[in-house]
Amino acid sequence: MLSVGDAEAIILNLVQPLDDQRDIEVVDLLAAASRILAVPVTSPLDFPHWDNSAMDGYAVRYEDVQDSSAEQPAILEIVEEIPAGYQPKSTIQPGQAARIFTGAVMPAGADTVVMQEKTRQEENRVFILDTPKPQEFVRHKASFYQAGTQLLPAGIKLNAPEIAVLAAAQCQQLSVYRRPRVAIFSTGDELVSVDKLLQPGQIVDSNQYAIAALVKESGAEPLILGIVKDDPVALEKVITHAVAIADIVLSSGGVSVGDYDYVDKILESLRAKIHIRAVQIKPGKPLTVATLPSTDAINRVCTHSPLYFGLPGNPGAVLVTFWRFVLPAIKKLSGITEAWEPVFLKVRSHDELRSDGKNETYLWGKLHLIDGIYEFHKAGGSHSSGNLINLAQTNALAVLPMGKTLISPQEEVQVLQLFNG
Ligand code: AMP
Ligand code: MG
């Protein structure tokens, strides 16, 4: 059976990122947050656009003030007042200064700003009470960014700082990668949707809702295909449809060794290549990963052969395998050029953590910041993969490598950090 690391490598190797020509769309800047930039951005504007003041104070010629002190201040004539947004008219001559405010354009002739706190003004004269450094508090044109050079590279996620940069560069519309399309369906005769009265033996199809939420959080578009009975004909129909409309297909259930677990057999009958059938992970061992051959029907909507994940049925296993394997795959597919691998942190464990040592074991819980150090608190209650109740509020998974049966309280543990954007 495959180790978790080997399975991860196989999966990431199978993922073809979206195409930077075909798989892009243009969005308005206000709709661009958390999208992935598809084309590098260059600006024709310098930043700053012109020399401006970083302080409220006085724009001066350095040579006029280089020996100033409280005892022997230079005394300069104020010839102009320059608020932000105003274009100065005068050129500062020897013995002159301009009153200037933060962000305002430096007047010609001046090269240095003396902060207001180091001056005293009397009518139209300013007394300079200290010697500034040459060019102090001047933000020079193009010192932050030079026009025509690359402002932002392709393949980055647009968060607030990037949106601010794009706004400053007057990019009103942007090319971003389209959202990856992820088809979701659940398999099982026992499943019903949330609005149905439960009959004996039935359970709510919580996986469909959980996976849809996970897919949305990942920035991809969930395509909800509903519940499919443990019936080979119905399953074949939905799988054929799913691979025709999606980049990634996520089914849950039906991949174990039970008599009603048909998913692998149907994938084989559809000439899928099955890359993974099981992984040494707990929870989540019965995990199927397959690629399907591209057909004309697929090519019309999908530029590469879709990746199929047959996730286990148990709700705990669904979340763990999604976070560990599916999320990095979606991120790589999305066009992000880096940071799609899972983020592991070394933290202190608050609780005793146990495993049978036979599989890489993931225990869910919460990271708390204690005196500036992260501490992992295992969720109380059963860690059975069938128990979803104590998964609520999980923000990290503690990882016990194969062979490790015990981590004692206060010992170091590696955790998979969830929800890190
Ligand atoms: P299976 O792998 O299909 O045998 O499913 C394993 C376990 O997960 C069974 O107890 C199922 O009832 C449960 N299960 C399967 N699918 C879902 C689902 N969509 N939502 C909640 N539980 C499920
Ligand atoms: Mg089932």
Side-chain angles (χ1 to χ4, degrees), residues 186-187 190-191 203-208 230 252-256 261 312-315 388:
S186 299
T187 72
E190 74 279 31
L191 304 177
I203 60 167
V204 173
D205 166 23
S206 59
N207 289 347
Q208 183 115 216
D230 290 318
S252 69
V255 289
S256 199
D261 295 330
N314 277 309
L388 53 71

Side-chain angles (χ1 to χ4, degrees), residues 172-307:
Q172 298 174 50
Q173 293 198 311
L174 302 157
S175 286
V176 296
Y177 285 99
R178 67 169 173 81
R179 294 183 188 282
R181 288 188 277 262
V182 181
I184 303 165
F185 63 93
S186 299
T187 72
D189 289 348
E190 74 279 31
L191 304 177
V192 293
S193 56
V194 277
D195 52 334
K196 296 286 186 311
L197 199 62
L198 289 178
Q199 302 298 331
Q202 293 186 328
I203 60 167
V204 173
D205 166 23
S206 59
N207 289 347
Q208 183 115 216
Y209 300 90
I211 296 171
L214 289 164
V215 167
K216 261 199 178 158
E217 274 167 22
S218 77
E221 180 190 356
L223 308 172
I224 312 288
L225 302 184
I227 299 166
V228 185
K229 294 271 181 215
D230 290 318
D231 162 44
V233 176
L235 273 168
E236 181 174 325
K237 199 169 151 204
V238 76
I239 291 175
T240 307
H241 175 57
V243 298
I245 60 169
D247 305 298
I248 290 181
V249 179
L250 303 177
S251 65
S252 69
V255 289
S256 199
V257 293
D259 291 350
Y260 298 94
D261 295 330
Y262 294 118
V263 171
D264 284 16
K265 290 178 204 106
I266 290 162
L267 287 170
E268 278 162 5
S269 76
L270 292 172
R271 292 187 298 118
K273 186 163 180 349
I274 301 194
H275 303 269
I276 296 174
R277 289 178 192 272
V279 182
Q280 284 169 313
I281 184 170
K282 192 177 174 194
K285 194 188 293 184
L287 173 72
T288 295
V289 179
T291 42
L292 284 108
S294 293
T295 67
D296 286 342
I298 293 167
N299 280 334
R300 251 182 275 137
V301 288
C302 181
T303 52
H304 41 264
S305 49
L307 187 57

